[in-house]
Amino acid sequence: MSTYTEQVGEKLNDLLEKTYDAERGFKKAADNVEEGHLKRYFAQKAQERYDFGHALKSEIKQFGQEVEKGDSVAGKAHRSWMDIKSLFSSDDEEAMLEEAIKGEKKAIEAYDEVLSESNLPGSTENLLQQQRNKIHTGLINIKSLEDIA
């Protein structure tokens, strides 16, 4: 039977931190673009990550683990890079979209890493697989927004 180890709790907290980073990054991107489709896309992705974060927190708590809330150095650096790109890029929206694509690819890698754990409880594995699949589907659909930017 699967067990919820402290190591799994740490990995989920790391994933939660990255989810918060992504939420803040998408909010910042929504604030930095003018085009309506992209603004709505980034706002929707921020809300999606907000929802992911709450689901992850509930899952962590369900198994008696401590929930850590923070802002990673990598997340702050990525958002700062988005600000710099928006200041100096002649095509802010395309630059923001490219950064979002990079972030989504990294998110999929992070989910894959945690999903590779053999001792995940079924509910945790199902939740992570659902969230990972939503990110992957969004990454596929983002190609249509590249034509708009």
Side-chain angles (χ1 to χ4, degrees):
M1 174 144 203
S2 298
T3 58
Y4 200 93
T5 64
E6 189 173 315
Q7 183 181 19
V8 171
E10 288 173 10
K11 286 187 177 193
L12 286 181
N13 268 302
D14 184 50
L15 194 57
L16 179 62
E17 186 176 278
K18 290 174 182 174
T19 298
Y20 287 137
D21 287 344
E23 177 191 352
R24 286 186 285 270
F26 282 123
K27 282 180 181 176
K28 184 167 283 293
D31 291 342
N32 286 325
V33 297
E34 298 292 326
E35 202 284 318
H37 287 91
L38 285 177
K39 189 173 273 300
R40 284 189 298 279
Y41 170 78
F42 288 137
Q44 181 269 327
K45 294 301 283 184
Q47 181 62 50
E48 177 183 82
R49 287 312 201 287
Y50 174 85
D51 295 342
F52 283 7
H54 280 280
L56 283 169
K57 282 194 316 190
S58 294
E59 188 70 15
I60 293 167
K61 287 178 183 177
Q62 177 181 329
F63 289 96
Q65 298 293 311
E66 202 60 36
V67 174
E68 300 168 11
K69 185 174 179 182
D71 194 7
S72 73
V73 173
K76 287 178 184 175
H78 192 245
R79 287 190 303 279
S80 294
W81 179 241
M82 289 174 77
D83 285 342
I84 291 167
K85 278 189 127 174
S86 103
L87 288 174
F88 296 109
S89 176
S90 61
D91 194 352
D92 301 356
E93 293 169 350
E94 186 173 343
M96 291 292 158
L97 198 54
E98 287 172 9
E99 287 304 309
I101 290 169
K102 286 179 191 175
E104 293 294 76
K105 287 179 179 178
K106 291 246 184 242
I108 289 171
E109 290 172 10
Y111 274 85
D112 286 345
E113 181 183 332
V114 178
L115 283 164
S116 70
E117 286 288 321
S118 60
N119 59 343
L120 288 176
S123 62
T124 303
E125 186 174 357
N126 288 338
L127 174 67
L128 296 180
Q129 194 63 54
Q130 288 171 1
Q131 291 182 353
R132 185 226 180 263
N133 290 345
K134 274 190 170 181
I135 295 168
H136 186 261
T137 300
L139 191 54
I140 292 168
N141 293 335
I142 207 169
K143 296 298 179 191
S144 65
L145 292 174
E146 284 186 301
D147 295 335
I148 295 169

